[in-house]
Amino acid sequence: MSNPGTDRRLRLCVVQLDGLPHARTPESLWLPAEPLYEAEQGPGELSAAQLFSSAQPAVYDGIQELSTTATRACLVELMAFLDRQSADVVVFPEYLVPLGCLDTLREFSAGRVVVAGLGFVRNTAEAADLAALAGAGWSDEQLVHRNVSVLIHDGTVHLVTKLSLADRENATAGRGAEVVELTLRGRQVRLAVAVGKDYLLWESNATVPHTDIVCVPANSPTVLPFLPDAPRDHVRLLANAACHGGSQIMVPALDGPLVNQLGVEPIGKGFQAVVLVEYDRYPRRPTTLDRPENSLALRAQIIGGAEEAELAVLAELAATTPGKTLRAQVAELRARLTGDGPLAQALDAYDSYLAQGFDPDKELHDLLCTHVAVTGGGQAAIRGSQARYIVRMLRELDGEGGRFGAARDAYQRLVERFCGQEPAGPVVVPPPAPQRPSLLRYTRSTARDGTRSESWEFHDPAPAREFLLNPPPEIDRGASDE
């Protein structure tokens, strides 16, 4: 395999990610802040919006911030991994990257393209921020209440607003697919972004200009309509949400395991993963002896901190070397995994290769051993953190009246449901960044039970002086002030 840092072949990547869709539900609830929300039925009077958005806006903001912080932490780890793999084009799913992570995406876009679904733009302030980043051609009115995705190259932001809305998708129709010309590894590339159903409309439009690569951020329970009968004309990068599965890279002329007629075998439902292909060019017609050098470089599982069996198998694989004696170990490691995720499938592929009498292959061994562990959790872990935070805040707000009893019970059941998704610990909501330098910062933390994290910041002299003269009473034993 040639040096990925100097090869003119493009390294194309899709990420199947787990997380909270940044969408407005049909009942007009903001989904990232609603742990109780289910697909077919909203939480009604027990919703976070009903409990907190008006009376306790800081609590409501804290619920959302838990989601953004967890997603950002996962993205930072993933991007470090993809940077080491010299990825040139990276596509994330529709709706799953919060607006608060946009700076992280822009930083990662140096020398590469990043495509990601930001989701629903709630208000004119968010729309104005996006319009300012994108420059001429966009106004606040064209972005507010739209489902927005971004294509970012070297820090330059291109916006894509979804035109063809899915059933029950609560948004306003936008412009549809966008095509951008740019240079990657010295190659001129025409790259299109078509979000969800826009891809189906775009593919059927005979007047669409020629493109080299089509990026499809999706959050769709049905993948079949996105698959062509046969590969043709351009590469397709389909990045779907992990709860639906089916993410894949559709490019012909791939050899080896874990590929099919269309390209790379799709990732199964419920798994987070990274798929990366080294792309030379599309096969010419009629077929010649000059075969393109397209190859599968990675089909890696993203392994969270709670996936103990996968982490243990990955640690043992890291110490192996290619060889026929590895087959017995592969069989033993596979027996320790349940399900059919990318790590398990890589073990099966390696075992099948050796069982047929083939000599050990370094590229296949690299495919077997290269996976990525992240500390951040997915949707279930985020919902568990949010539920614990809500239970704690309801207890503090209840006082002697007990008026939040039903809500506290409902969210406590959610805590118990997700108790195994992440280690128990304090729920710390990062404070919002101050608008100007603070004159006084005061923080209280709890040393024993880990249930309290309070902070105050003052930007004006008068309230800072009043706070120093009359500090808040100490509530928890063992609390310490900084």
Side-chain angles (χ1 to χ4, degrees), residues 141-189:
E141 292 77 14
Q142 292 172 314
L143 296 172
V144 71
H145 295 171
R146 267 69 173 189
N147 174 1
V148 176
S149 294
V150 290
L151 183 158
I152 312 175
H153 178 227
D154 273 334
T156 300
V157 178
H158 303 269
L159 302 180
V160 183
T161 53
K162 187 176 181 182
L163 171 63
S164 305
L165 303 178
D167 295 341
R168 293 176 61 84
E169 185 172 2
N170 192 352
T172 301
R175 291 183 180 178
E178 299 280 348
V179 179
V180 177
E181 287 195 43
L182 42 82
T183 303
L184 292 171
R185 291 190 191 269
R187 296 172 54 167
Q188 288 297 116
V189 179

Side-chain angles (χ1 to χ4, degrees), residues 92-392:
F92 291 96
E94 176 186 12
Y95 274 120
L96 292 191
V97 179
L99 275 168
C101 297
L102 191 53
D103 286 344
T104 305
L105 296 182
R106 292 185 70 195
E107 182 179 352
F108 177 61
S109 72
R112 62 171 58 91
V113 169
V114 183
V115 175
L118 302 182
F120 184 81
V121 177
R122 289 181 293 172
N123 51 57
T124 53
E126 293 179 349
D129 289 342
L130 284 172
L133 282 175
W138 291 98
S139 65
D140 303 357
E141 292 77 14
Q142 292 172 314
L143 296 172
V144 71
H145 295 171
R146 267 69 173 189
N147 174 1
V148 176
S149 294
V150 290
L151 183 158
I152 312 175
H153 178 227
D154 273 334
T156 300
V157 178
H158 303 269
L159 302 180
V160 183
T161 53
K162 187 176 181 182
L163 171 63
S164 305
L165 303 178
D167 295 341
R168 293 176 61 84
E169 185 172 2
N170 192 352
T172 301
R175 291 183 180 178
E178 299 280 348
V179 179
V180 177
E181 287 195 43
L182 42 82
T183 303
L184 292 171
R185 291 190 191 269
R187 296 172 54 167
Q188 288 297 116
V189 179
R190 288 180 60 84
L191 192 147
V193 178
V195 181
K197 286 180 69 175
D198 280 350
Y199 166 77
L200 306 179
L201 178 64
W202 191 92
E203 283 280 276
S204 64
N205 188 345
T207 65
V208 169
H210 171 71
T211 57
D212 302 300
I213 300 167
V214 181
C215 303
V216 188
N219 202 315
S220 173
T222 306
V223 176
L224 189 60
F226 293 87
L227 308 182
D229 296 332
R232 57 182 182 273
D233 302 330
H234 48 254
V235 181
R236 299 160 176 83
L237 307 180
L238 173 62
N240 205 13
C243 61
H244 303 308
S247 300
Q248 56 193 288
I249 297 178
M250 289 168 263
V251 56
L254 294 178
D255 291 325
L258 303 172
V259 302
N260 57 29
Q261 178 186 352
L262 291 179
V264 183
E265 285 282 354
I267 302 298
K269 179 179 179 179
F271 297 98
Q272 297 191 98
V274 170
V275 180
L276 192 149
V277 162
E278 287 192 335
Y279 174 64
D280 174 20
R281 57 182 171 77
Y282 222 83
R284 298 171 184 168
R285 297 178 181 177
T287 304
T288 68
L289 295 177
D290 183 17
R291 184 176 175 83
E293 297 182 17
N294 302 329
S295 63
L296 174 61
L298 282 179
R299 195 173 179 276
Q301 186 164 335
I302 301 170
I303 302 172
E307 299 174 88
E308 296 180 2
E310 287 78 3
L311 289 171
V313 168
L314 183 58
E316 292 191 33
L317 283 173
T320 65
T321 56
K324 292 185 177 180
T325 57
L326 180 58
R327 188 182 177 199
Q329 186 178 359
V330 164
E332 188 272 330
L333 293 174
R334 177 63 179 93
R336 288 157 54 182
L337 298 178
T338 58
D340 200 24
L343 176 57
Q345 291 173 339
L347 288 163
D348 288 338
Y350 198 86
D351 180 70
S352 175
Y353 190 82
L354 297 180
Q356 296 175 70
F358 297 123
D359 287 335
D361 183 281
K362 182 183 182 304
E363 281 71 24
L364 181 59
H365 186 265
D366 290 345
L367 202 63
L368 169 67
C369 297
T370 308
H371 302 269
V372 55
V374 297
T375 55
Q379 184 172 145
I382 296 171
R383 288 307 198 196
S385 293
Q386 290 178 326
R388 284 204 311 276
Y389 174 66
I390 290 172
V391 167
R392 178 164 66 84

